[in-house]
Amino acid sequence: MAQGPRQLGQYVPDTGPRVRVNQVGCLPCGPKHATVVTDALGPIPWRLNNSAGVTVASGTSTPAGVDPSSGQRVHTLDFGAVAETGTGYTLSADGQTSHPFDISATLYDQLRSDALHFFYVQRSGIPITEALAPGYGRPAGHIGVPPNKGDTRVPCLPGAGDYALDVRGGWYDAGDAGKYVVGGSIATCQLLSQYERTLTAPPGRLGPPGDGDLRIPESGDGVPDILDEARWELEFLLRMQVPAGRPRAGMAHHKVHDDNWTGLPLSPDQDPQPRHLHPPSTAATLNLAAVAAQGARLYAPYDPGFAQRCLTAARTAWVAAQAHRDVFADSADTIGGGPYDDTDVTDGFYWAAAELFLTTGEQAFRDALRVSPYATGEAFPPSGFGWQQVAALGRLDLATVPRPLPEPDRMAARASVVAAADRYLDTAHGQAYGMPLGEGEYVQGSNSVLLNKLVVIATAFDLTGEQRYRDGVLEGLDYIFGRNALNQSYVTGYGAHHSHNQHSRLYGHQIDPALPGPPAGSLAGGPSAGLEDPKANRLLIDRTVNPPRRPAPQLCYLDDIQSWSTNEVAVNWNAALSWVVSFAADQPVATAS
């Protein structure tokens, strides 16, 4: 039946009540939609009750037909006229009652902090203290203390160099102990952009993040905590640069990780595997140039010396990338870590040139932007930006960061952001669950695909002030927090039914109850139609029929620590969550008239 949990092989997903809502809630001034899974062909009545059980609104649903992404027949409920704040609201329709949710102007305030706190717990090279992260305290990992064999003096892979580097620090990228320049640069960029947005966008409710906002050791140093957290990774990225006098000097090593995969779970300080620096790549070098240039302008008011160090590294990386334009990571380099391969780096040159121009204003970087294919080409792919498509990061900053960009060019950049946001909203409006995920976009990390599109839509709101963009962002978040086919909030600690068994060697509670689960604010990767990992592939594909039947894309998710293809954590995914949640938390209590 369309309304019930469908048998998938031997596994039955717990989809809970058929009325699907954002289980965190709604902002008083924002849109308020829900989805009900039902076989009814015509409109059905619904009612909204407060925590006392009193009906405060009612209406009838709008049938939306069969949703291809879920295989479910669904209706939409709109209770946007309700603006009274409160906790414990529920929606009822077709004999079912939703999980409870709130209507509150401060809905996302705590998550704004928790999504960023994730990065502290992912830190390498520093003890995680119980005082700052209760339940997550552990010794520093990979500082050369046995059984670790890194990261204070990590040699190059054989044939990739005859030297070793101190590459301590940074964040563990995802569920393993690897550290990657490409993924780490995207995450750092989005944290820096989250801060920079509050300096360039119209004033919001919360204002710029400050010193003391986060639970990190650097609080109280006079620097906004989000910049301190981003610096922890940026310092690592700078250490990954090939030293002067060596072959390919100035380029960035692509990654550092174990020589072999380790088992689950494993505390980083107990990792016994040898580690190596993997060869430099043009993509990593350009990413370093871009994020270091971005950092140079944002750290200048707080630490001019570090800002200059960043700018020097960015310039050096830019020159090195120009000299080595086609050095690509090996797509088969998958033992002990992911490949993060990319063989088209024209977008990386565009992003790096944009950040260097915005920081320096120099004509050479302006000229590089003019000759780029992205000068007039589309910077926003249909499936949003990511570590293989980074031109959008440069375009977003060219549209928003105040610099002496000629006015026609600035207007063109802004128009391209708005046009991309319109396309993503068109996708959302074509989905019964109201999110900008289309066919073919349920891939590993699909939740970050969605969230990065929301970044573009949010930026269009900052540029235009048009409420439809703001509403599109908030409705997109509904999907992340439970208004989806599985009735699943994909953020740990948020919602009545939330992900809590994400794939990670750090958060092994599902395997060993003595260990913690993922910290509050951890984002699960989300449905991946490929079902690449053995656990999801075995459980979710129905082999009782011939040929075997795969579930609809939205159902390709398993909250299990073994399901790395659907349920891993990653710093670049959490960075996207942090950016969008910060935008949502910053919205005013009431819509301006």
Side-chain angles (χ1 to χ4, degrees), residues 250-275:
M251 295 191 76
H253 283 277
H254 195 72
K255 57 181 181 172
V256 57
H257 59 64
D258 293 349
D259 286 358
N260 291 285
W261 292 107
T262 56
L264 294 167
L266 182 69
S267 181
D269 65 290
Q270 295 302 306
D271 178 7
Q273 281 286 327
R275 290 160 76 81

Side-chain angles (χ1 to χ4, degrees), residues 421-494:
D422 286 339
R423 293 194 299 272
Y424 296 157
L425 281 184
D426 285 344
T427 299
H429 295 156
Q431 300 297 316
Y433 280 96
M435 73 296 183
L437 273 180
E439 183 179 356
E441 294 178 355
Y442 291 88
V443 295
Q444 188 175 359
S446 62
N447 283 338
S448 75
V449 174
L450 167 65
L451 288 162
N452 283 333
K453 289 186 179 186
L454 297 185
V455 169
V456 178
I457 298 170
T459 304
F461 172 73
D462 287 342
L463 293 173
T464 68
E466 294 185 24
Q467 296 299 319
R468 63 192 182 96
Y469 297 116
R470 195 249 358 229
D471 290 353
V473 174
L474 298 177
E475 192 161 1
L477 281 176
D478 289 348
Y479 170 87
I480 295 292
F481 294 107
R483 188 187 164 202
N484 53 56
L486 290 173
N487 211 3
Q488 175 89 28
S489 169
Y490 291 111
V491 179
T492 304
Y494 287 84

Side-chain angles (χ1 to χ4, degrees), residues 375 380 395 399 405-419:
F380 299 95
R395 184 68 58 80
L405 192 67
E407 190 60 20
D409 292 348
R410 180 176 297 281
M411 295 303 295
R414 292 180 173 183
S416 73
V417 173
V418 173

Side-chain angles (χ1 to χ4, degrees), residues 513-539:
L515 297 174
S522 301
L523 176 71
S528 178
L531 297 175
E532 294 88 349
D533 67 84
K535 185 70 173 281
N537 191 282
R538 176 172 60 84
L539 287 182

